[in-house]
Amino acid sequence: INVGDTVIVNRFKAFVSKPERGDIITFYKDNKFLIKRVIGLPEDKVECIDGYIYINDKIIDEPYIKFRKEEDFGPYTVPENCYFVLGDNRPNSNDSRYWENKYISKKQIYGYLITIIHKL
């Protein structure tokens, strides 16, 4: 997703389902709408070693990542009814890694990404 692109989200799904790992969600945080990928689910242990994400001590496959930021963070244990989110552009994303409150609650979720309309 680039600046100027339009996204279409499913708002209804936010009321009737819980996010799954890999879902891209929109949510309201710090007085603005953000869009990020769900990485950690409730009670998951999330950790990053050399830029690779581990969930409950197992590395996850992230084919959507083009550039990794070689960093370490965590481990963090995701609280009940909360989610740990990261941007796909890891070197330039303001996401759970950097927030004081690292998690998004189910109540903050606005919708789920359906499609992207790229700006011409």
Side-chain angles (χ1 to χ4, degrees):
I1 301 171
N2 298 305
V3 174
D5 289 349
T6 300
V7 296
I8 299 174
V9 299
N10 181 337
R11 179 95 170 93
F12 178 73
K13 187 175 177 182
F15 294 106
V16 298
S17 68
K18 293 181 180 180
E20 295 178 17
R21 191 176 339 281
D23 284 349
I24 298 175
I25 60 170
T26 59
F27 53 93
Y28 194 70
K29 183 169 179 66
D30 299 330
N31 298 316
K32 57 186 167 185
F33 279 102
L34 299 173
I35 185 164
K36 304 290 177 194
R37 188 177 299 271
V38 174
I39 300 297
L41 302 175
E43 301 181 18
D44 277 347
K45 179 176 122 182
V46 179
E47 187 171 19
C48 185
I49 302 170
D50 295 329
Y52 292 90
I53 304 296
Y54 291 78
I55 302 294
N56 303 322
D57 300 316
K58 294 180 183 174
I59 195 168
I60 63 170
D61 182 33
E62 296 185 288
Y64 41 82
I65 298 297
K66 293 180 183 171
F67 303 104
R68 293 191 187 282
K69 184 174 184 179
E70 291 191 26
E71 67 176 342
D72 296 344
F73 63 77
Y76 302 116
T77 300
V78 182
E80 189 173 328
N81 295 314
C82 290
Y83 302 89
F84 190 92
V85 298
L86 296 173
D88 288 354
N89 183 3
R90 300 282 161 82
N92 297 305
S93 182
N94 179 15
D95 50 38
S96 287
R97 296 172 289 179
Y98 305 114
W99 301 332
E100 185 175 335
N101 176 3
K102 304 235 176 269
Y103 312 104
I104 297 299
S105 73
K106 174 76 169 95
K107 293 179 197 175
Q108 289 174 275
I109 297 173
Y110 180 81
Y112 291 72
L113 180 73
I114 295 175
T115 193
I116 305 165
I117 302 169
H118 296 289
K119 182 179 178 182
L120 298 176

